[in-house]
Amino acid sequence: MRKLRRSLAASLLVSALLAAASACSSDDSDAASAASAASAASAASDAATGASGAVGPDGRPELPRREPSGPAVDRHVEALPPDFEPVVWADLPPRPALDGPLAANQLIENAQIVGEEELEGAEDVAVGLDGHLYTATADGGLWRITQDAGGGIGTIERVATLDGRALGLAAYSQDVLIAAVVEQGIMAVNVATGDAWVLTDRIDGNLIFFADEVTVADDGTIYVTEASTVYLPGFPNDFLDGRPSGRLLRYEPATGVTDVVTDGLYFANGVDVAADESHVLVAESFRFRLTRVWLGDGREGRTEQFGPSLVNGPDNIVIDDRGRVWVGGSDLRSDAVDALATSADLRRQIAALPPGEGEGLRAPYGFAQVLSPEGEPVFSFHDTTGRFSAVSSALPHDGHITFGSLADRGLARLPLPAELR
């Protein structure tokens, strides 16, 4: 099995090359569209045969055990073709300044690091319905993190091991989490028994190969982002290519149907559903923005930018009970990043470099931010030293914030700042 670790190496490499590129040298129209009737019919044919419509003890549909449905096609490729023609970003929006609520501070670099021995590449953190924190690591481990009465960390224990890396987690019922797992699709994990099974792994006969993040609506509907339908690793290849190949998928446990809510997204990453379930927010990493995807009222699948453009490439996102959006993602825009976004020649040069060239040039930096319910930045967290960099998620819970990281060891934790209480 191709390991996602390769993707991590590529991510660090391209960041270094972006810095090197600087020495040598929006708002676009909505491309996304709702699934067609033909796609819906195809989705129905891929439904899990075990779907019964029964309701579990937590009021959500029971999760079926999916039966094998024959060979599936993996469309992903690992490398850009030698003659690829990059698509540049012609209307790159102005870069937000790191001032005001985005001004640098030392909050993440002064945070407590927990689980350094157990947790490597703990990208996402979720709160289970049992009140415990859960995270998943690069080796396929799924971990429970208990807290004491004061919010401090108690125990960290492995509760399951998956056949693949879970990039996103969400609570479904008292004992069950939903996981977006690379090369596996959408999985259910019983954290009491360690049992894990695939809910859906294909649509239109193709593998859901790059499942990235997941969220669960109140009625049990599961939304998952597929970061790229073309490349693995999607970063840097999707960025260098410049075409939108990400999409938002929906899985209905009651019917076993998987369908496409919208496609044409630029590396669809974090996702969360609004409290009124009128829409979901999706992080488009390679457009430095959050995108609102409507779910009803005759606007199903329609998209619009949520708030102004961001200073970072957003990763995982969380909408809290006050409507604020917590956005992880340490890849800040810079002159080098902007130059690559707008130059086909630079992208070709980067793609032509041998693996490993330029490593070590990247200046590690940790970053996350909080947006208002309208999408305006209201607060940010920084690590200017790189002690805890590659921040991929920021979860507020029980008076603390827990930061996950795509590549670092452990989780960073700090008390909720007074400004955010």
Side-chain angles (χ1 to χ4, degrees):
M1 181 178 79
R2 292 178 290 186
K3 300 295 184 183
L4 194 68
R5 192 177 300 274
R6 190 177 309 164
S7 176
L8 299 181
S11 173
L12 295 175
L13 169 60
V14 80
S15 296
L17 296 179
L18 293 179
S22 64
C24 64
S25 53
S26 86
D27 189 17
D28 55 47
S29 60
D30 293 326
S33 59
S36 64
S39 175
S42 178
S45 71
D46 287 338
T49 58
S52 65
V55 176
D58 295 288
R60 288 175 169 172
E62 288 188 350
L63 294 171
R65 302 276 177 156
R66 176 187 171 278
E67 296 296 329
S69 54
V73 177
D74 173 19
R75 300 173 295 176
H76 290 76
V77 295
E78 295 186 72
L80 291 160
D83 58 347
F84 88 104
E85 282 298 323
V87 175
V88 301
W89 191 353
D91 55 349
L92 183 72
R95 185 163 76 237
L98 288 177
D99 57 21
L102 297 178
N105 54 50
Q106 289 74 47
L107 288 170
I108 297 179
E109 63 197 62
N110 292 330
Q112 176 191 16
I113 306 299
V114 300
E116 286 184 276
E117 292 186 7
E118 301 94 339
L119 309 176
E120 180 180 5
E123 176 171 358
D124 195 23
V125 188
V127 181
L129 296 189
D130 57 9
H132 298 312
L133 299 179
Y134 290 88
T135 191
T137 46
D139 63 356
L142 197 149
W143 303 76
R144 179 191 294 121
I145 304 165
T146 64
Q147 302 170 93
D148 60 31
I153 294 301
T155 61
I156 301 176
E157 61 174 328
R158 183 188 290 256
V159 295
T161 299
L162 309 180
D163 186 18
R165 182 177 184 180
L167 298 180
L169 296 172
Y172 187 84
S173 62
Q174 186 72 15
D175 292 329
V176 175
L177 297 181
I178 305 300
V181 185
V182 174
E183 302 188 41
Q184 298 295 319
I186 305 174
M187 298 188 69
V189 187
N190 188 312
V191 297
T193 66
D195 188 22
W197 65 97
V198 173
L199 295 173
T200 179
D201 63 355
R202 66 196 69 193
I203 185 169
D204 300 332
N206 297 295
L207 284 173
I208 303 171
F209 202 76
F210 206 159
D212 199 312
E213 177 62 307
V214 64
T215 190
V216 181
D218 284 344
D219 66 355
T221 300
I222 297 167
Y223 296 94
V224 64
T225 52
E226 189 174 14
S228 173
T229 56
V230 178
Y231 297 106
L232 190 83
F235 187 69
N237 292 336
D238 260 49
F239 178 77
L240 295 175
D241 182 291
R243 294 169 175 83
S245 71
R247 57 187 181 176
L248 175 67
L249 306 179
R250 171 174 49 207
Y251 172 75
E252 297 282 4
T255 63
V257 171
T258 308
D259 68 344
V260 179
V261 181
T262 197
D263 56 15
L265 300 174
Y266 290 87
F267 203 80
N269 205 325
V271 62
D272 206 357
V273 62
D276 64 1
E277 302 193 6
S278 64
H279 65 274
V280 296
L281 292 182
V282 176
E284 287 192 87
S285 299
F286 297 162
R287 276 299 187 262
F288 310 119
R289 70 185 179 195
L290 301 185
T291 295
R292 189 198 319 261
V293 183
W294 293 101
L295 298 177
D297 297 331
R299 295 180 289 181
E300 174 84 11
R302 288 180 56 186
T303 66
E304 63 186 24
Q305 182 165 327
F306 174 78
S309 295
L310 305 178
V311 72
N312 65 326
D315 202 323
N316 292 350
I317 60 176
V318 172
I319 303 175
D320 69 16
D321 57 7
R322 292 165 58 180
R324 300 175 301 188
V325 187
W326 299 67
V327 185
S330 283
D331 289 314
L332 299 181
R333 284 180 60 183
S334 64
D335 291 342
V337 171
D338 289 356
L340 266 179
T342 56
S343 171
D345 287 340
L346 279 177
R347 294 195 202 188
R348 292 190 194 95
Q349 292 172 33
I350 295 294
L353 287 171
E357 187 168 324
E359 284 187 21
L361 296 179
R362 178 178 181 254
Y365 197 99
F367 181 80
Q369 64 179 311
V370 184
L371 307 179
S372 73
E374 295 72 41
E376 297 286 344
V378 296
F379 201 86
S380 60
F381 305 85
H382 299 249
D383 180 347
T384 61
T385 68
R387 171 176 174 258
F388 192 81
S389 60
V391 173
S392 50
S393 58
L395 174 71
H397 176 63
D398 236 3
H400 287 73
I401 309 162
T402 304
F403 299 94
S405 175
L406 179 66
D408 289 332
R409 299 197 67 90
L411 300 170
R413 276 176 58 85
L414 53 84
L416 193 69
E419 300 92 324
L420 296 172
R421 293 175 190 163

